[in-house]
Amino acid sequence: MTRPRTAATRAFLQKCAVLFSGAPWMLSGAQAQMPTPPAPVHVGSHLCGGVGDSSLTQLQSRATDYNLGFWMVGGPGGAYLADVPIEIRSGSRTVARFTADGPLCYVKLPGGRYTVTGTHNGQTRSVQVHSGSMNNYLRW
C-alpha cells in the first residue's frame, strides 16, 4: 500500500524532476550525450639542459630527436640562463609548460606555429617559432 502524497511532497518531486531532467549522468548509456572536450595537443617530450660544455655537447647530440629548439640567454654577453619557467602556446591553447633546467631546450611538437614564453627575474619574453626551427632565442 502506498501512502498518499502531500502537496509539499509533490512540489518537492516536481522541483527535483525539473532540476535533474537534463542531467546526462541520469540517462542510460545510449542516451547519455556528454559534451566532448577539445582534444589536447600533447607534447611528445622535451629535453632541457646544457649547463657546462660536456652537458651542452651531449644535449646537442640528441637534437635530431626533436623538432623545435630554443635558447635562453641574458645580459649583453648572452649569459646562459637556467630555471626559467616556460610556456608554449598554439594560438590560445597551452601545449606545454615546464621549467627549463638549462639554457637550451628541445621540444617535440606537431607541425605548426607556436609562441614560446619564458619569465626570468620578473620579466617575460616571447618568441614566435615554428616546428622545424632549432635555433630560436629568448633574450633578457
Side-chain angles (χ1 to χ4, degrees):
M1 179 170 142
T2 60
R3 292 182 15 194
R5 292 189 179 147
T6 65
T9 302
R10 279 193 301 276
F12 173 77
L13 292 173
Q14 287 173 340
K15 288 179 184 177
C16 288
V18 168
L19 180 64
F20 293 112
S21 64
W25 62 86
M26 300 287 288
L27 302 173
S28 66
Q31 294 174 323
Q33 295 293 324
M34 295 296 292
T36 304
V41 175
H42 294 287
V43 173
S45 60
H46 74 275
L47 181 64
C48 300
V51 177
D53 290 338
S54 64
S55 176
L56 182 58
T57 301
Q58 185 178 29
L59 181 64
Q60 289 174 318
S61 73
R62 305 229 2 236
T64 57
D65 296 334
Y66 301 89
N67 63 352
L68 176 66
F70 59 92
W71 293 84
M72 291 143 296
V73 297
Y80 290 164
L81 301 176
D83 300 319
V84 176
I86 297 294
E87 180 179 68
I88 302 176
R89 298 179 68 81
S90 174
S92 62
R93 176 189 272 170
T94 299
V95 297
R97 188 176 285 142
F98 54 89
T99 298
D101 58 355
L104 177 58
C105 288
Y106 293 125
V107 185
K108 188 166 186 84
L109 294 167
R113 297 192 62 74
Y114 299 92
T115 301
V116 178
T117 302
T119 303
H120 176 68
N121 286 340
Q123 296 181 344
T124 300
R125 298 288 188 267
S126 294
V127 62
Q128 302 294 314
V129 301
H130 58 86
S131 56
S133 61
M134 299 298 287
N135 206 30
N136 303 286
Y137 284 84
L138 288 170
R139 297 179 192 273
W140 281 268

